[in-house]
Amino acid sequence: AAAASAPASALIAMDLALALESSPHYPRGAPAARVTSLAVSLDGLESARVPAALRGLRSLSLAANHISKMGAGDLSACGARLLQLSLRDNRLRGDGRGLGAALRACPGLTALDVSMNRLEALPQLARLCPRLTDVNAAGNALGAADWAAGLDALQRLNVYRNRIRTLTGLGPMPRLAAVDAGRNLLTALPPEALRGCPQLESLALYGNRIGGGVDVGAGPGGAGPPQNG
């Protein structure tokens, strides 16, 4: 079952629980624990706290709201089952103001979208959500990507339009297939930067100032020459 967003005028400054009670799209009569997918967007939400009744959520989108901080208990109700989380286009800034504490409740998360915020850093995701396969952190102010180090299951990484100066420090990522690092502050790509990514097929570096060609040092079975546009 899924619940869509309610009119923005009815939800300004309300938390997620009140949003659900107000939403005309919420499946009336359906047990909340059976709701597995929920999207509440463009509703002015300031809190990401999930009501205890929604313990069955596997997919949660709170995109395009006013969330500026997270708390340790925000995702506790559904964290054990949550697979997909979108906090796209909110007001998270700095190091996420509690984002790491909130994600600690979601060890099985496979997809995380924190794009279009004001983040300057992210927690070490491998310690919190080691099963992540997709991470979208585009449109922030991140200065590095080493927070993704150790994500052995990661397949797609999007850090488009940030302030990243180097891709070194990622470490081996045996399943990484696609990286979008366009429009950052990269000036070079050392051979060791992506050497531990034998499955890499797509590397987007457009909008950077990399000179002298690109060599990721791919060994046998590696990605081959990436694109630099």
Side-chain angles (χ1 to χ4, degrees), residues 68-72 74 92-93 95-104 123:
S68 61
K69 60 183 179 180
M70 304 285 290
D74 281 356
L92 297 172
R93 62 176 66 239
D95 63 356
R97 299 183 66 188
L99 178 61
L103 290 177
R104 196 174 299 278

Side-chain angles (χ1 to χ4, degrees), residues 1-217:
S5 60
S9 60
L11 297 173
I12 297 299
M14 292 185 179
D15 63 17
L16 181 56
L18 290 177
L20 289 176
E21 292 174 3
S22 304
S23 176
H25 304 288
Y26 187 75
R28 299 297 179 186
R34 297 174 66 178
V35 176
T36 60
S37 179
L38 175 66
V40 182
S41 302
L42 294 170
D43 294 322
L45 298 181
E46 296 181 354
S47 171
R49 183 171 290 270
V50 175
L54 289 170
R55 59 185 177 274
L57 282 182
R58 293 179 178 272
S59 176
L60 174 64
S61 176
L62 301 176
N65 282 292
H66 297 167
I67 298 169
S68 61
K69 60 183 179 180
M70 304 285 290
D74 281 356
L75 303 174
S76 296
C78 61
R81 296 187 178 186
L82 197 63
L83 300 177
Q84 300 176 340
L85 174 65
S86 176
L87 296 166
R88 175 184 174 88
D89 195 11
N90 273 281
R91 298 179 179 179
L92 297 172
R93 62 176 66 239
D95 63 356
R97 299 183 66 188
L99 178 61
L103 290 177
R104 196 174 299 278
C106 310
L109 201 67
T110 60
L112 174 65
D113 187 346
V114 291
S115 61
M116 306 300 292
N117 279 278
R118 306 167 190 176
L119 294 166
E120 299 176 9
L122 283 171
Q124 292 299 126
L125 295 179
R127 299 176 182 177
L128 305 170
C129 310
R131 300 180 184 178
L132 281 169
T133 61
D134 292 79
V135 175
N136 186 351
N140 282 286
L142 299 170
D146 53 358
W147 41 266
L151 288 172
D152 293 342
L154 193 65
Q155 298 176 25
R156 288 166 289 276
L157 176 63
N158 188 347
V159 290
Y160 169 79
R161 200 183 289 275
N162 275 279
R163 300 175 183 174
I164 295 173
R165 296 181 179 274
T166 180
L167 291 178
T168 58
L170 288 177
M173 288 188 172
R175 300 184 182 181
L176 189 63
V179 176
D180 187 344
R183 300 198 183 284
N184 277 279
L185 302 178
L186 298 169
T187 57
L189 191 66
E192 67 274 12
L194 297 170
R195 182 170 288 160
C197 307
Q199 301 301 317
L200 191 65
E201 297 178 352
S202 175
L203 176 58
L205 298 172
Y206 51 92
N208 285 283
R209 297 184 178 179
I210 298 177
V214 177
D215 176 15
V216 297

